Amino acid sequence: MKIGIIGAGNIGGNLTRRLTALGHDVSVANSRGPETLAVLAEETGATPVTAAEAARGAEIVVVTIPLRRVPGLPSGLFDGAAEGFAVIDTGNYYPKERDGRIAAIEDEGLTESRWTEQNLGHPVVKAFNGTLAQDILDMPRPAGHPERIALPVASDDETAKATVRALIDELGFDTVDAGGIDSSWRQQPGSPVYGLRADVDGVTKALADASPERKSDFRA
């Protein structure tokens, strides 16, 4: 598939490494410009582009940038994306450490991914937000392996969710359907599933044990 990745930090960089190794056509962008991605491009064979170019022709677009930067993404970001493309949102709200206070999340009770979805103007699939970046490289296992871990995946778009779950399976992880975007608080920072390395049963239980109340460490 043709995949565009916006954000070349720990998650974005390691997804670039894995997806190119699997044979996907990956374009990758960051906030500093394509010339700063030369080393990653040489290592992986990915194509460095601007954020405005990352989605062109893409069947999947991964948005993996700090939450506060989402509203600053270029207008028409998805112009030229493939028909029926899916958007993966890996983002988390860290008001104290990075993002500052976002009133719609704090006061109106929007989930992080609902806020992101509204800013992007396109449905998203929440995935990889609680995954340790190094695990993307170190933890893939074949289907049925006793050490294979599972990742929660939430979206209102069932077709996009199925596409992303298939990609995650190809990457070497099981998935658990975490419901729609309004239920994605179950995988936000501080929840039982956040950072969890567990199988399908363990992830399913962690999602069920989650509380909608945001922990104080993750409130402004």
Side-chain angles (χ1 to χ4, degrees):
M1 286 193 295
K2 185 168 177 52
I3 299 173
I5 298 179
I6 301 172
N10 293 332
I11 295 289
N14 284 350
L15 283 174
T16 299
R17 292 178 176 94
R18 289 294 325 286
L19 291 168
T20 52
L22 289 168
H24 295 288
D25 179 3
V26 177
S27 296
V28 60
N30 66 6
S31 60
R32 296 176 295 145
E35 64 280 359
T36 66
L37 293 168
V39 173
L40 182 62
E42 183 176 359
E43 175 192 347
T44 63
T47 302
V49 295
T50 66
E53 299 168 323
R56 289 181 187 171
E59 298 161 80
I60 293 179
V61 181
V62 183
V63 178
T64 180
I65 61 175
L67 212 66
R68 62 184 170 82
R69 292 184 180 169
V70 169
L73 287 170
S75 60
L77 179 66
F78 302 125
D79 292 352
E83 184 177 354
F85 71 99
V87 178
I88 299 175
D89 167 34
T90 77
N92 291 307
Y93 178 45
Y94 299 121
K96 294 179 178 178
E97 298 175 10
R98 183 189 68 193
D99 297 315
R101 192 176 195 279
I102 297 176
I105 295 174
E106 296 274 359
D107 302 333
E108 299 172 28
L110 288 187
T111 60
E112 299 158 2
S113 287
R114 180 67 74 196
W115 181 86
T116 296
E117 189 173 86
Q118 290 180 358
N119 277 275
L120 292 176
H122 192 278
V124 303
V125 181
K126 190 177 188 71
F128 296 108
N129 72 292
T131 307
L132 299 174
Q134 193 61 35
D135 284 356
I136 294 172
L137 300 181
D138 295 344
M139 295 299 291
R141 300 290 189 272
H145 193 285
E147 294 179 357
R148 182 157 152 131
I149 65 173
L151 310 183
V153 181
S155 182
D156 298 335
D157 185 331
E158 294 299 326
T159 301
K161 186 190 289 183
T163 298
V164 172
R165 293 182 74 179
L167 183 69
I168 293 172
D169 175 70
E170 185 183 358
L171 284 164
F173 304 95
D174 287 330
T175 57
V176 173
D177 190 333
I181 289 300
D182 288 335
S183 298
S184 63
W185 52 266
R186 294 183 180 277
Q187 60 196 86
Q188 69 191 12
S191 68
V193 82
Y194 182 77
L196 179 68
R197 290 173 173 150
D199 62 8
V200 167
D201 288 344
V203 168
T204 301
K205 182 180 185 304
L207 289 169
D209 289 344
S211 166
E213 183 177 354
R214 189 176 297 275
K215 291 190 174 182
S216 61
D217 288 348
F218 300 102
R219 296 199 305 264

